[in-house]
Amino acid sequence: MSSAGAAERREELVALFKEVSKCTRCPLHETRTKAVFGAGNADADLMFVGEAPGAEEDRQGLPFVGRAGQLLNQLLEEIGLSREDVFICNVLKSRPPNNRDPMPEEIAACEPYLWEQVRLIQPRVVCTLGNFATKLLTGSATGITRVRGTPQTHQLGGRTVFLLPLFHPAAALRTPAVKEQLRGDFATIPALLQQPLPEPMPSAAEIAEAEGAEAPGGEPPPPIDQLGFFGDSAG
Ligand code: URA
């Protein structure tokens, strides 16, 4: 990407930040103190997606600044990275009252912001932290316990990326064995960042066009990665 491209992407990201700061797409705007857009390196190869802001994040307008954030900082440091190297955001940009689980309609209202963030930041590796981010970004109902630590390839925000599901740091703070698994999964990130990205898979519309036919229904279906499954909250 040329530097002009990078500058344009940064400008678009700033515009998106301003939009999110005054977003009223769901009722959470009535109870939040500050929207939490996300923070870090706008050109990062590595992006983390958590669940939703907690009390401290809501107060400061920054992601992962509480205890879970301190653990995230420590795990990053252990693999030779810092917050300035990565971009960190959440599925929801506004805090759910009393830290309750995100609701499907809140995720649906907020997820276009996340796809835009991936499109503009252009990461190579996206780590999902916990069940909500993992289910949304993998487009699968399979819980974090079964998928964590194994990289997947997905189309996100119009790009092919490696997606690495990880336990949420808050779960790691509660259970020492989870913390050790999270630490072990973090240790695989540097090698994943070095791996060449696979060629993008053609969309249904591109396949239909190559075959000289119109895509079924005339409209390309939504990317499978972007369909959320939140009926089941089991890990
Ligand atoms: N937990 C999250 O999922 N996100 C934050 O920003 C903080 C805690």
Side-chain angles (χ1 to χ4, degrees):
M1 173 65 63
S2 69
S3 57
E8 279 160 23
R9 287 190 286 111
R10 190 174 295 252
E11 256 176 49
E12 279 193 63
L13 203 63
V14 171
L16 190 65
F17 169 86
K18 289 181 182 158
E19 190 183 334
V20 168
S21 304
K22 48 183 198 306
C23 178
T24 56
R25 285 186 193 176
C26 82
L28 292 181
H29 78 273
E30 291 163 12
T31 49
R32 75 174 177 228
T33 309
K34 284 185 179 163
V36 178
F37 178 71
N41 186 333
D43 270 320
D45 283 340
L46 178 59
M47 186 162 166
F48 289 87
V49 183
E51 182 176 313
E56 195 52 32
E57 289 79 18
D58 174 75
R59 206 176 61 76
Q60 295 190 34
L62 292 169
F64 283 96
V65 287
R67 279 185 69 228
Q70 282 168 20
L71 176 57
L72 191 56
N73 293 351
Q74 184 192 332
L75 293 168
L76 280 171
E77 197 182 310
E78 286 175 15
I79 58 168
L81 295 174
S82 72
R83 296 277 285 234
E84 289 77 50
D85 298 313
V86 305
F87 192 87
I88 302 178
C89 63
N90 287 299
V91 169
L92 293 190
K93 311 308 189 207
S94 300
R95 181 190 183 206
N98 303 315
N99 299 343
R100 64 152 169 76
D101 284 350
M103 298 205 291
E105 54 273 27
E106 293 160 356
I107 294 168
C110 221
E111 68 179 288
Y113 293 135
L114 183 58
W115 310 135
E116 271 298 274
Q117 288 176 310
V118 176
R119 183 180 74 80
L120 294 169
I121 293 163
Q122 303 190 345
R124 301 170 57 78
V125 176
V126 178
C127 293
T128 51
L129 301 171
N131 252 328
F132 280 92
T134 300
K135 290 181 180 181
L136 179 65
L137 275 75
T138 60
S140 161
T142 311
I144 186 65
T145 307
R146 285 185 49 202
V147 295
R148 64 98 194 154
T150 304
Q152 308 178 8
T153 305
H154 283 274
Q155 292 278 115
L156 298 180
R159 300 171 42 75
T160 303
V161 299
F162 288 122
L163 191 154
L164 182 65
L166 299 173
F167 280 130
H168 195 287
L173 285 173
R174 289 191 293 268
T175 312
V178 168
K179 186 170 169 181
E180 283 323 298
Q181 286 176 316
L182 181 58
R183 176 170 276 128
D185 293 342
F186 254 75
T188 69
I189 293 174
L192 192 57
L193 282 166
Q194 297 306 316
Q195 261 191 51
L197 283 167
E199 287 297 309
M201 296 207 308
S203 66
E206 284 165 342
I207 294 169
E209 197 185 321
E211 290 171 350
E214 205 179 303
E219 288 279 321
I224 193 76
D225 303 319
Q226 298 185 6
L227 301 172
F229 294 87
F230 291 96
D232 145 45
S233 66

